Amino acid sequence: MDLEGVIPNQPIKKDSWKTVLILAYQSLGVVYGDLSTSPLYVYKSAFAEDIKHSETNEEIYGVLSFVFWTLTLVPLFKYVFIVLRADDNGEGGTFALYSLLCRHARVNALPNCQLADEELSEYTKHGIESDKGSIGWRLKSTLEKYRVLQKLLLVLALIGTCMVIGDGVLTPAISVFSAVSGVELSMSNEHHRYVEVPVTCIILVFLFALQHYGTHRVGFLFAPVVITWLLCISAIGVYNIFHWNPHVYQALSPYYMYKFLKKTQRGGWMSLGGILLCITGSEAMFADLGHFSQLSIKIAFTCMVYPSLILAYMGQAAYLSKHHVIESHYQIGFYVSVPEKIRWPVLAIAILAAVVGSQAIITGTFSIIKQCSALGCFPRVKIVHTSSKIHGQIYIPEINWILMLLCLAVTIGFRDTKRMGNAAGLAVITVMLVTSCLMSLVIVLCWHRSVFLAICFIFFFGSVEALYFSASLIKFREGAWVPIALSFIFLIVMYIWHYGTLKKYEFDVQNKVPINWLLSLGPRLGIVRVKGIGLIHTELVSGIPAIFSHFVTNLPAFHQVLVFLCIKSVPVPHVRPNERFLVGRVGPKEYRLYRCIARYGYRDVQKDDNEFEKDLVCSIAEFIRSERRANDEGTEDVENDGYMTVVGSSSSNLVGIRMCEDDGNVGEMVGTSELREIRSPKKLRKRVRFVLPKSPQIDRDAREELRELMDAREAGMAFIMGHSYVRAKKGSSLMKRVVINLGYDFLRRNFREPTFALSLPYASTLEVGMVYHV
């Protein structure tokens, strides 16, 4: 479940305690579902084959000690106390850290960045700039100087993202399978294997099939399910502690970790791959930060999740310390420590909790793929918003069915928790390692703290995570190859798409038409200007795209108003509505050529076509109205191609021009002051009016230009899209030809058109084909 109900303009820090506690309650169902179900499979994975449970209890105490200190050091100390502070205007996750670094060190992978983007409210760089000559300043300069380091930083962020996607495959499989495995205590060894896998597959298919409907209808049940589960496992843990071994708390001493490794040696080291599953889902605390607040997530973890998990693990250890020979084939598992009378109700709650935890990671996967696509690092996919009120709840059909097939393949292929745990463990610990590496750079470049502090951070937490990473990687042939294979495939797809997109943009920049060519054509551009608005979609933020010259040289007519539209992403989570558009002219006023740049953050949602068209026309009208005032104030020449004005969307611009569109008779408009409204005098299918503010005086030229814009809007809007065929130029290396001619071309043909084109009316859309030799 992915919530984005938090409005960026209203920081959570100012909320009341009541709001914070409500957010903490909601976060239990969204953030902690995966982490809360880890007791289902941690002990079973740790004791799978590497170590045996002996009568000395050194193994079970050692595992408990490792679990306790791992939960304390990683989720509590690392995430709650440190990483949660590295938010990007309230947003968290791998891309939030990468976005922070992009802004502070100018290592942005987006090609069409502008200086105007740095004036966005959320682009603000917090902290004191490092002094020239300091280690932090030299590190920043080195990153900005060498393209190789910038690419390595991007690859590092993509590796973390790919492992999150791999986790989206493995977590539902192991969570649901472990929850269902409790049925084997009530069945014979011959029958339970015929029940576990089919039941798990049915639940997984049901879970993925429901994604299309969204979770907002049942989302209110998530928090109660997880709370019930946490209370259940903590109560069982307390019962087992007092009933079986009240002295189990002694195992929390780090001394038992030393005894454990000394006795088990290599087997104990390899069992760490199962122990690390106790922190699976910890990354969700940071990734879902934008949906809640730092304080609410900290309260939920420290007051509810952390104590419940510790009690649950201590209770299992207390039970196992008195049961060394277990008659059931189930051996070391969660359900053996559950009293037999309540085993079936606990099984039902466990399955519900596993579904909630799986739902969180699935929707989180949708969210991070949307972010990758917005930043040009993933092919365009169809994004369906399943809730009209909470726009963060999204559904991506292609990714959903791919995840389901992979999840079923893992379940049917492995059929046991051991190999699933090995696979999930490697994915989890790799994401945490990537976060630690990026976080160490954030400490120096964004927080401007000493390099010594960053080294201490990466050395301490990186050492703990590297230990677990080595224990997971050694089990490559026993399941750990799955996240590596999945991540490698997704990484290749992401990098090919990013490389092809970058080369295509470079071709556009190198082949854009000079402004002198446009001026030589005259105001009518050497062709017939027909009524209407021609909207030319381009990736360029300056200059005239080659698609325009390609079009006008083949067709003898064009629209009376031309708009070069660029829809681009900026390295911030959200762009405020009052900073949405950059509007300027291309050429002199009489040409009626405009450039409009619509800016979106990597977590923003684009409006539908009708709202977007209205905002676009209003932004141009507001630019025309404010242009005269800019000239009066002595600003630079607004007729050049470089001057751009920031204009908000119509909903945010309360004091600017508003546009009214309705169907009706022109006669109904009589009686309205000409000074207050400029309207088209002709009776057309759609009536368009510009409602002006009370105070400003509009000169004759601006009034005439606004009238022409209204006439053009009433006549209709045509959308001119470029249909590119990208090919590697002659003399390119074999690798480049394979990447561009095969890889990028395959992705471009089989994935979606630009988001801007998805909701456009086909009758008003014209595609212009061009071959790009990159």
Side-chain angles (χ1 to χ4, degrees):
M1 180 179 176
D2 190 20
L3 297 176
E4 287 193 14
V6 179
I7 300 175
N9 296 345
Q10 297 177 353
I12 292 300
K13 295 178 182 178
K14 298 181 180 180
D15 284 343
S16 63
W17 275 103
K18 180 181 179 181
T19 305
V20 171
L21 292 177
I22 291 175
L23 288 175
Y25 167 78
Q26 294 174 344
S27 70
L28 288 169
V30 177
V31 178
Y32 297 110
D34 187 14
L35 183 61
S36 299
T37 55
S38 57
L40 288 170
Y41 44 78
V42 169
Y43 280 112
K44 190 174 183 180
S45 299
F47 286 91
E49 288 181 2
D50 304 315
I51 54 177
K52 301 297 181 182
H53 180 36
S54 64
E55 294 185 2
T56 61
N57 287 330
E58 289 183 356
E59 293 84 359
I60 193 67
Y61 287 167
V63 170
L64 174 60
S65 185
F66 265 104
V67 167
F68 172 76
W69 286 106
T70 303
L71 276 171
T72 303
L73 292 177
V74 179
L76 187 61
F77 287 174
K78 177 186 172 182
Y79 282 95
V80 170
F81 292 153
I82 302 176
V83 175
L84 285 181
R85 296 176 56 204
D87 64 300
D88 182 12
N89 293 285
E91 298 292 337
T94 303
F95 265 93
L97 294 177
Y98 181 69
S99 174
L100 280 174
L101 293 172
C102 285
R103 300 206 301 272
H104 284 78
R106 297 183 186 274
V107 293
N108 192 8
L110 294 172
N112 53 358
C113 291
Q114 299 170 278
L115 289 175
D117 297 338
E118 298 186 11
E119 298 176 3
L120 291 169
S121 301
E122 295 199 2
Y123 206 101
T124 305
K125 301 175 183 179
H126 300 287
I128 303 173
E129 292 292 335
S130 302
D131 297 330
K132 289 187 177 181
S134 65
I135 298 179
W137 185 84
R138 290 201 295 267
L139 176 62
K140 174 178 176 290
S141 302
T142 304
L143 278 174
E144 293 175 350
K145 182 178 179 181
Y146 295 102
R147 297 276 299 174
V148 176
L149 295 179
Q150 298 176 20
K151 291 181 179 179
L152 286 176
L153 188 64
L154 174 63
V155 169
L156 184 65
L158 292 181
I159 288 174
T161 302
C162 292
M163 283 297 180
V164 171
I165 298 173
D167 197 20
V169 173
L170 298 165
T171 294
I174 189 173
S175 297
V176 177
F177 186 85
S178 300
V180 174
S181 65
V183 300
E184 61 184 76
L185 289 177
S186 304
M187 296 184 178
S188 63
N189 192 21
E190 294 77 15
H191 293 91
H192 79 86
R193 293 189 179 274
Y194 297 103
V195 175
E196 285 179 354
V197 175
V199 171
T200 302
C201 291
I202 290 172
I203 293 175
L204 289 174
V205 171
F206 179 74
L207 174 64
F208 283 99
L210 286 180
Q211 297 301 314
H212 175 71
Y213 300 99
T215 58
H216 58 284
R217 295 183 178 88
V218 294
F220 68 95
L221 294 175
F222 285 1
V225 167
V226 175
I227 290 175
T228 304
W229 168 250
L230 289 173
L231 293 176
C232 178
I233 61 175
S234 57
I236 294 173
V238 171
Y239 169 79
N240 285 330
I241 291 171
F242 285 99
H243 188 265
W244 297 109
N245 189 355
H247 301 288
V248 73
Y249 67 89
Q250 297 175 355
L252 302 182
S253 170
Y255 174 69
Y256 283 91
M257 291 191 292
Y258 167 75
K259 291 180 65 177
F260 171 75
L261 292 177
K262 182 179 179 181
K263 179 179 180 180
T264 56
Q265 297 181 354
R266 187 175 186 274
W269 169 60
M270 294 182 66
S271 70
L272 295 179
I275 295 174
L276 75 87
L277 293 175
C278 69
I279 54 175
T280 180
S282 299
E283 186 71 20
M285 284 194 290
F286 185 46
D288 292 331
L289 180 60
H291 314 323
F292 303 99
S293 67
Q294 291 185 26
L295 186 58
S296 62
I297 289 179
K298 290 177 180 179
I299 290 175
F301 182 78
T302 54
C303 298
M304 186 71 185
V305 180
Y306 180 75
S308 299
L309 291 177
I310 297 301
L311 288 174
Y313 287 117
M314 289 178 65
Q316 288 187 61
Y319 177 87
L320 294 173
S321 66
K322 299 299 182 181
H323 296 79
H324 303 97
V325 180
I326 301 177
E327 297 179 357
S328 171
H329 58 274
Y330 190 77
Q331 298 179 353
I332 312 293
F334 170 76
Y335 289 103
V336 294
S337 63
V338 178
E340 190 172 353
K341 294 182 179 179
I342 61 171
R343 196 166 286 167
W344 283 105
V346 170
L347 175 65
I349 299 172
I351 293 175
L352 289 175
V355 169
V356 170
S358 302
Q359 174 63 50
I361 191 66
I362 291 170
T363 314
T365 305
F366 293 159
S367 179
I368 201 166
I369 287 178
K370 174 182 176 293
Q371 295 175 31
C372 290
S373 182
L375 294 177
C377 295
F378 197 85
R380 302 180 186 97
V381 290
K382 181 181 180 181
I383 298 176
V384 179
H385 300 277
T386 58
S387 174
S388 58
K389 296 180 180 179
I390 307 174
H391 65 264
Q393 295 194 2
I394 60 175
Y395 166 70
I396 304 177
E398 300 97 326
I399 302 300
N400 182 68
W401 302 122
I402 290 174
L403 288 179
M404 187 191 76
L405 293 176
L406 292 174
C407 204
L408 293 176
V410 168
T411 304
I412 297 172
F414 285 163
R415 301 183 186 179
D416 65 77
T417 338
K418 175 195 170 187
R419 287 181 290 180
M420 290 184 193
N422 295 337
L426 184 62
V428 168
I429 203 63
T430 304
V431 176
M432 293 183 175
L433 270 173
V434 170
T435 300
S436 296
C437 294
L438 295 177
M439 189 65 205
S440 61
L441 293 176
V442 168
I443 291 174
V444 177
L445 299 178
C446 304
W447 292 355
H448 308 293
R449 301 297 177 88
S450 67
V451 177
F452 176 75
L453 188 63
I455 293 174
C456 290
F457 176 86
I458 191 67
F459 178 77
F460 182 76
F461 292 107
S463 299
V464 174
E465 291 160 358
L467 178 65
Y468 283 115
F469 180 79
S470 63
S472 298
L473 196 60
I474 201 68
K475 298 183 178 181
F476 179 84
R477 299 177 61 183
E478 300 175 12
W481 60 270
V482 172
I484 294 178
L486 291 176
S487 300
F488 181 76
I489 294 172
F490 279 105
L491 183 63
I492 292 296
V493 169
M494 288 180 177
Y495 203 81
I496 287 176
W497 183 261
H498 177 72
Y499 179 78
T501 304
L502 193 62
K503 289 299 178 183
K504 180 175 175 291
Y505 180 79
E506 291 175 356
F507 180 90
D508 278 331
V509 173
Q510 295 167 3
N511 293 273
K512 62 184 180 181
V513 180
I515 190 68
N516 293 333
W517 173 84
L518 183 69
L519 295 175
S520 65
L521 297 178
R524 299 191 65 84
L525 303 181
I527 54 178
V528 178
R529 302 291 291 269
V530 298
K531 289 186 176 181
I533 298 177
L535 203 62
I536 303 172
H537 183 246
T538 176
E539 300 294 332
L540 295 176
V541 294
S542 63
I544 302 170
I547 182 180
F548 178 68
S549 63
H550 185 69
F551 185 84
V552 298
T553 53
N554 288 276
L555 290 178
F558 218 91
H559 301 85
Q560 69 183 98
V561 175
L562 296 179
V563 181
F564 296 104
L565 174 64
C566 173
I567 299 179
K568 72 170 190 174
S569 296
V570 289
V572 295
H574 302 280
V575 175
R576 295 183 178 182
N578 59 348
E579 300 172 325
R580 177 73 64 205
F581 294 101
L582 282 174
V583 185
R585 290 189 185 277
V586 180
K589 285 185 179 181
E590 58 269 20
Y591 282 56
R592 301 297 190 252
L593 266 65
Y594 307 95
R595 181 182 308 283
C596 186
I597 300 173
R599 301 178 292 183
Y600 290 89
Y602 57 81
R603 293 193 70 93
D604 276 334
V605 178
Q606 296 185 19
K607 294 184 177 181
D608 57 44
D609 55 332
N610 292 327
E611 283 294 321
F612 183 80
E613 290 176 24
K614 184 177 179 180
D615 283 346
L616 180 64
V617 175
C618 277
S619 67
I620 297 173
E622 179 63 24
F623 167 75
I624 295 171
R625 182 184 74 87
S626 60
E627 186 179 25
R628 178 68 180 175
R629 188 172 60 216
N631 283 335
D632 293 340
E633 292 173 358
T635 57
E636 59 182 292
D637 181 14
V638 296
E639 293 185 1
N640 61 46
D641 189 33
Y643 178 81
M644 305 288 286
T645 300
V646 178
V647 181
S649 60
S650 57
S651 59
S652 66
N653 196 5
L654 300 179
V655 297
I657 289 181
R658 292 182 293 111
M659 185 177 72
C660 300
E661 291 183 331
D662 50 65
D663 299 323
N665 198 313
V666 179
E668 298 172 4
M669 296 164 54
V670 176
T672 307
S673 171
E674 183 68 22
L675 181 65
R676 295 289 305 118
E677 296 188 10
I678 297 178
R679 59 180 92 84
S680 175
K682 297 183 180 180
K683 183 177 179 180
L684 295 170
R685 180 181 56 186
K686 179 179 289 187
R687 186 179 65 187
V688 177
R689 296 176 295 167
F690 284 141
V691 182
L692 306 179
K694 295 180 179 180
S695 55
Q697 298 294 326
I698 299 180
D699 62 9
R700 181 178 178 181
D701 293 338
R703 187 178 294 275
E704 182 63 28
E705 193 172 357
L706 286 173
R707 189 180 298 279
E708 287 189 26
L709 182 62
M710 280 191 303
D711 290 343
R713 179 68 182 106
E714 287 184 346
M717 185 177 289
F719 306 91
I720 294 88
M721 309 288 297
H723 191 81
S724 57
Y725 298 89
V726 184
R727 294 290 182 270
K729 60 185 177 182
K730 293 182 179 180
S732 300
S733 63
L734 176 63
M735 179 63 70
K736 184 175 181 179
R737 293 200 302 270
V738 171
V739 169
I740 296 296
N741 296 346
L742 298 180
Y744 184 74
D745 185 66
F746 173 81
L747 294 175
R748 187 189 60 80
R749 290 176 180 271
N750 290 277
F751 280 85
R752 302 274 172 167
E753 291 295 323
T755 307
F756 171 68
L758 291 180
S759 56
L760 297 183
Y762 289 102
S764 304
T765 304
L766 178 64
E767 288 191 347
V768 181
M770 282 191 65
V771 179
Y772 286 62
H773 293 285
V774 300

